Amino acid sequence: MDSEIHGAVEALLEEVAVATQPEPLYDVRRLRGKVAIVTGGSSGIGRAVALEFAEGGTHIAFCFLDTGAQSRLDAQETARRLRALKVQVYFRSCDVRESHDVKDFVAEVQEELGGLQILINNAGIGRDGALWNMEDHEWEAVVRTNLDGAFFFTRAVAPIMRAQEFGKIVNVTSVHGISSEFGISNYASSKAGMIGLTRSAAIELGPRNINVNAVAPGYIRTTRLTDGVAPEILDRAREQAVLGRLGDPQDVAGVVVFLCSEAARHITGAVIPVDGGYLL
Ligand code: NAI
């Protein structure tokens, strides 16, 4: 009798174990047909993330800040490359600092693309300077874009993801949310704030099967970096990274998509440096 029960229990355990096996690493097939919002998707890291998702068949909505003709051309170029990958695309300028605009954008995405499963809070800026010289508007622009923007988008998608009991959110913070340097008090504060937001959102949304994580890129070769940062700072960053190089946008994109895949289903509230060992 004992052995019969033992056998039945073993069989049950095996069945349960099989049923709950995670998918193989980075199974993009499971992301096919889903809808992802990428904020600041028109250039740099955001564009690379959008393209990486689209490679796996995920439909993309992205927003950007209209700062003139070049910003609109960048957005159109991203949309063109996405459409070439045969996914649906919705994009428009939407200022992440404006909570009403964010709310409208999220509603439009649902209507245009028929759902919403993934949010990548990537839009971000820097306005560097010693804190004793920093103007109110320089502090506000950075904190409102990087931190308020991520909060507004997270708040706007939360009811949708909670109702469907599924969602993936990834916040693009920075190594400078973990350690700082001279002249970036606004940026470092906003990025550290995003880490707090990541953990809080993970706690509040986890019970409804929503994963919230962050990536913390080191120095990544985007035009923002190559045009805006002094060459000697980039040389120092390259030396400080134990892998001896700057990162590429694709280096970040791969980790972001992984965090949204079934392979990462048991990861939440994590902050993953993508920095070539810069923080070591
Ligand atoms: P980028 O300047 O190429 O792209 C920034 C994107 O954000 C653009 O699409 C822009 O239109 C959008 N954006 C800016 N303000 C906005 C607003 N108010 N509303 C809506 N969209 C807005 O910059 P990059 O380098 O691709 O940076 C992307 C993210 O990665 C940022 O959050 C940045 O802080 C972060 N990051 C970048 C690193 C790097 O070395 N490039 C390192 C660590 C983090």
Side-chain angles (χ1 to χ4, degrees), residues 40-46 63-65 94-97 122-125 145-146 172-175 187 191 217-220 222-225:
S42 61
S43 63
I45 293 172
C63 70
F64 67 103
L65 188 66
C94 161
D95 189 336
V96 299
R97 294 169 294 186
N122 162 80
I125 58 166
T145 304
N146 300 0
V172 180
T173 171
S174 165
V175 288
Y187 187 78
K191 293 296 185 179
Y219 286 80
I220 305 295
T222 61
T223 42
R224 189 175 81 88
L225 189 79

Side-chain angles (χ1 to χ4, degrees), residues 96-115:
V96 299
R97 294 169 294 186
E98 301 298 335
S99 65
H100 288 293
D101 205 10
V102 168
K103 222 172 148 196
D104 290 347
F105 185 83
V106 168
E108 290 158 25
V109 171
Q110 278 209 294
E111 214 174 286
E112 297 287 328
L113 301 182

Side-chain angles (χ1 to χ4, degrees), residues 206-230:
R208 293 286 179 94
N209 192 33
I210 300 162
N211 303 59
V212 187
N213 291 291
V215 290
Y219 286 80
I220 305 295
R221 251 189 304 253
T222 61
T223 42
R224 189 175 81 88
L225 189 79
T226 46
D227 292 354
V229 179

Side-chain angles (χ1 to χ4, degrees), residues 3-274:
S3 69
E4 250 174 57
I5 293 172
H6 185 73
V9 169
E10 287 283 301
L12 196 63
L13 282 176
E14 227 166 78
E15 206 173 288
V16 170
V18 168
T20 61
Q21 283 298 310
E23 291 293 325
L25 188 69
Y26 198 125
D27 186 355
V28 285
R29 283 169 303 161
R30 293 291 289 269
L31 295 172
R32 184 170 298 282
K34 291 198 165 42
V35 175
I37 291 179
V38 182
T39 71
S42 61
S43 63
I45 293 172
R47 176 188 279 172
V49 167
L51 289 169
E52 184 79 16
F53 273 119
E55 292 272 359
T58 306
H59 305 303
I60 301 292
F62 73 88
C63 70
F64 67 103
L65 188 66
D66 188 344
T67 52
Q70 186 57 51
S71 68
R72 293 191 291 274
L73 284 175
D74 285 345
Q76 281 157 12
E77 172 61 12
T78 302
R80 188 191 63 76
R81 291 200 210 172
L82 289 169
R83 288 192 181 114
L85 293 166
K86 307 270 182 275
V87 296
Q88 291 177 51
V89 182
Y90 178 73
F91 75 105
R92 72 162 170 86
S93 68
C94 161
D95 189 336
V96 299
R97 294 169 294 186
E98 301 298 335
S99 65
H100 288 293
D101 205 10
V102 168
K103 222 172 148 196
D104 290 347
F105 185 83
V106 168
E108 290 158 25
V109 171
Q110 278 209 294
E111 214 174 286
E112 297 287 328
L113 301 182
L116 176 60
Q117 289 81 25
I118 298 165
L119 166 67
I120 313 302
N121 283 311
N122 162 80
I125 58 166
R127 297 278 183 278
D128 299 353
L131 69 87
W132 56 87
N133 287 328
M134 193 170 284
E135 305 275 355
D136 290 1
H137 70 88
E138 292 170 320
W139 173 270
E140 277 170 22
V142 172
V143 175
R144 294 199 56 222
T145 304
N146 300 0
L147 182 55
D148 294 14
F151 165 66
F152 291 152
F153 259 99
T154 304
R155 184 176 61 181
V157 305
I160 301 162
M161 292 183 176
R162 291 185 79 236
Q164 69 201 15
E165 301 208 351
F166 182 88
K168 308 281 180 189
I169 300 175
V170 178
N171 295 324
V172 180
T173 171
S174 165
V175 288
H176 293 130
I178 298 167
S179 72
S180 194
E181 286 180 19
F182 187 94
I184 56 167
S185 58
N186 49 0
Y187 187 78
S189 302
S190 71
K191 293 296 185 179
M194 284 179 86
I195 292 175
L197 175 65
T198 302
R199 293 188 179 129
S200 296
I203 290 169
E204 294 187 25
L205 300 174
R208 293 286 179 94
N209 192 33
I210 300 162
N211 303 59
V212 187
N213 291 291
V215 290
Y219 286 80
I220 305 295
R221 251 189 304 253
T222 61
T223 42
R224 189 175 81 88
L225 189 79
T226 46
D227 292 354
V229 179
E232 53 274 19
I233 295 183
L234 295 185
D235 286 343
R236 215 182 53 215
R238 202 176 283 112
E239 276 164 30
Q240 197 170 325
V242 297
L243 294 180
R245 59 171 182 253
L246 302 177
D248 288 314
Q250 292 78 1
D251 293 324
V252 182
V255 180
V256 169
V257 176
F258 161 71
L259 285 171
C260 297
S261 74
E262 278 306 288
R265 68 179 190 167
H266 209 49
I267 302 177
T268 199
V271 182
I272 308 215
V274 187

